[in-house]
Amino acid sequence: MNNPHPAVSHSPPVDAGRLARSRRLMKIAEGAARAVGPSLLEAFRSEMAIDYKRDLHDVVTIHDRSAEALIREYVFANEPNSAMLGEEGGQFGEGEIQWYVDPIDGTANFARGLAFWCVSIAAVAEGAVVAGAVYDPVADLLFAADLERSYLNGECITSKAVGDENRATLITGYPVSRDFRLDGRDVALRRFGDLVETFSTLRRPGSAALSIAHVAAGFVDAAAGFGVNAWDVAAATLILKNAGGRYEPLTLGKVPLGSADFLCPGYVAYGAGADYPTLNRIAAAISDGRTAKALVS
């Protein structure tokens, strides 16, 4: 594909051995993501049974489970020294390379026929993300990162963002029903209204991994979420940062300060050059409010 942005490395130099391992793990993540693409595309917009996990807002299908099993098989065949935490199957294995896998990030979209979902696979070594892939099978867009650079369908990408929030595009799922319970319905809706009025465009497409990858590629300017898991965002954090974007983790009172960013349940992802006061203020208010409640509970 043609890339309008020059290939730029935004990370410090990496030891050759670590970089080689990182690139090998990235290729495994890419291969596993592409391996499940055909079956997921065949199932997409077909009749399928839908189950629910925590509530009616938390959808799962048989295709989530089968895709995760195939990814696990692929990864362990290519890197036996692995352990894997998947959204559907939990923790498996005891190897040194810890994988975080969401076989379908955006399952509700997938189940309904809305074309904004992806496969997210990350490799973590010594507590840090060292490789990852986010694959959109519908558009055939494969975002990936090693320790040095980020790629889209094999071409290096560089993030970019509009400097003025009044002209910027923001992706966020906030608020959902869970946010009403945690922050209060009126407060959450007022915050959402501030974002709607401030940003030129606000979208709620429903996949954290793909949203952050779009920020990395310069398709949108920022993304924010306040209820994510490691398997949702681990791969995308590295893709964004190596493309020159900025990932701000939020503990929301659920994990200790200083936790790895991909373990934090909240985030704001900024494209290069973005600094949006309204989004900064609202994200800080959400994080501070939830942290204060956690301290007294």
Side-chain angles (χ1 to χ4, degrees), residues 139-199:
D140 193 26
L141 297 178
L142 179 58
F143 305 87
D146 55 31
L147 281 175
E148 187 173 62
R149 291 181 176 172
S150 296
Y151 312 88
L152 174 52
N153 290 350
E155 300 287 339
C156 293
I157 54 174
T158 300
S159 178
K160 62 175 182 177
V162 174
D164 180 0
E165 65 182 4
N166 298 126
R167 299 178 183 273
T169 296
L170 169 67
I171 292 181
T172 184
Y174 186 87
V176 296
S177 60
R178 177 188 61 248
D179 299 315
F180 288 171
R181 295 193 298 271
L182 293 172
D183 301 338
R185 188 174 187 274
D186 291 342
V187 170
L189 288 176
R190 184 171 66 251
R191 290 169 175 164
F192 179 69
D194 288 346
L195 294 173
V196 169
E197 290 182 334
T198 298
F199 283 83

Side-chain angles (χ1 to χ4, degrees), residues 1-2 6 43 69 72 78 92 95 98 121 147 179 212-213 215 238 245 250-251 275 287 291:
M1 63 174 286
N2 293 325
R72 184 169 60 244
N78 286 276
F92 183 90
Q98 175 69 55
I121 303 173
L147 281 175
D179 299 315
I212 298 167
V215 178
L238 185 63
L250 303 169
T251 69
D275 185 17
S287 186
T291 299

Side-chain angles (χ1 to χ4, degrees), residues 17-77:
R18 292 178 62 238
L19 181 58
R21 181 185 66 169
S22 166
R23 287 175 173 165
R24 181 176 60 83
L25 295 173
M26 181 186 73
K27 292 300 181 183
I28 294 173
E30 290 179 326
R34 284 201 179 276
V36 297
S39 60
L40 292 178
L41 275 178
E42 183 178 358
F44 183 53
R45 293 177 177 161
S46 69
E47 293 293 329
M48 69 179 74
I50 297 173
D51 293 324
Y52 301 92
K53 292 187 281 188
R54 290 173 298 181
D55 54 36
L56 293 178
H57 303 286
D58 195 1
V59 175
V60 65
T61 74
I62 190 174
H63 306 292
D64 296 75
R65 299 181 178 109
S66 60
E68 184 173 308
L70 181 57
I71 291 168
R72 184 169 60 244
E73 179 181 349
Y74 186 103
V75 166
F76 278 76

Side-chain angles (χ1 to χ4, degrees), residues 6 56-58 70 84 89 102 192 203 230 247 254 278-279 297:
L56 293 178
H57 303 286
D58 195 1
L70 181 57
M84 181 176 290
D102 193 341
F192 179 69
R203 294 290 181 262
Y247 189 86
K254 288 190 172 184
T278 303
L279 179 57
S297 63

Side-chain angles (χ1 to χ4, degrees), residues 247-296:
Y247 189 86
E248 296 290 344
L250 303 169
T251 69
L252 304 182
K254 288 190 172 184
V255 297
L257 288 174
S259 296
D261 54 12
F262 65 91
L263 296 177
C264 293
Y267 74 90
V268 182
Y270 303 89
D275 185 17
Y276 303 144
T278 303
L279 179 57
N280 297 342
R281 172 178 58 80
I282 290 174
I286 293 170
S287 186
D288 292 346
R290 294 189 191 180
T291 299
K293 287 181 180 179
L295 292 174
V296 299

